[in-house]
Amino acid sequence: MKTFFQFFLLTGSLFMSVSCSRNSNDMVTNPGQTVVSGAWRVSLFSNSGNNETIDFTGYVFTFNTGGVVAVAKSSTIQNGTWSINNSSTKFSVDLGAKLTGNLPLGELTHEWKILSSNATEIRLGDDNPSSNEFLTFTKN
């Protein structure tokens, strides 16, 4: 009986570790390398539970090496900065102040928590859960 119980525990723990592991497509090891490849768009921006994604329609984000982000819409280009911390858990964006007429881009200025990332999508959330802010960049 003891052997059967040990086998059951071993099998159960093995099953749990396999079923709870992340799919290799869900997270990239270096989101900084992913984000500098190509153009991106905002596919979700939720602020305090309100979906404000439409405010970013037509904006194209190009994250360049060296921490510069260029945001283009029509013939207008605005530059800002971006960075990812050493442990790849925080994604910082600075596109200017929120309250200086720089809307909507100023709304993205923040240090975001990286929730998930893969070759075509980076999902971010506010590190303060009570703010209920989420941002997703999707590769064009």
Side-chain angles (χ1 to χ4, degrees):
M1 180 70 166
K2 183 178 178 183
T3 306
F4 174 76
F5 183 72
Q6 289 173 333
F7 174 75
F8 178 76
L9 283 177
L10 177 64
T11 305
S13 64
L14 180 62
F15 174 76
M16 288 301 291
S17 68
V18 169
S19 65
C20 293
S21 66
R22 286 189 177 256
N23 182 333
S24 62
N25 294 331
D26 290 345
M27 244 358 222
V28 294
T29 56
N30 189 344
Q33 289 177 339
T34 300
V35 77
V36 296
S37 64
W40 298 78
R41 63 181 165 80
V42 171
S43 58
L44 172 71
F45 179 69
S46 177
N47 187 2
S48 300
N50 299 315
N51 187 336
E52 299 176 9
T53 308
I54 196 165
D55 294 345
F56 300 95
T57 300
Y59 285 95
V60 177
F61 295 77
T62 305
F63 297 92
N64 298 300
T65 56
V68 175
V69 58
V71 185
K73 183 175 182 179
S74 302
S75 61
T76 303
I77 296 176
Q78 179 172 332
N79 289 321
T81 60
W82 74 277
S83 64
I84 294 179
N85 68 346
N86 289 337
S87 59
S88 296
T89 58
K90 301 284 185 178
F91 187 101
S92 296
V93 177
D94 187 347
L95 291 165
K98 294 180 182 185
L99 303 175
T100 61
N102 185 27
L103 296 175
L105 295 178
E107 289 292 318
L108 304 182
T109 296
H110 195 66
E111 182 178 80
W112 299 92
K113 179 179 176 181
I114 299 175
L115 302 176
S116 68
S117 62
N118 61 40
T120 59
E121 181 180 80
I122 298 174
R123 291 182 47 243
L124 309 168
D126 193 323
D127 53 1
N128 176 2
S130 66
S131 72
N132 202 19
E133 284 186 303
F134 296 95
L135 171 62
T136 301
F137 286 106
T138 301
K139 196 170 191 177
N140 282 340

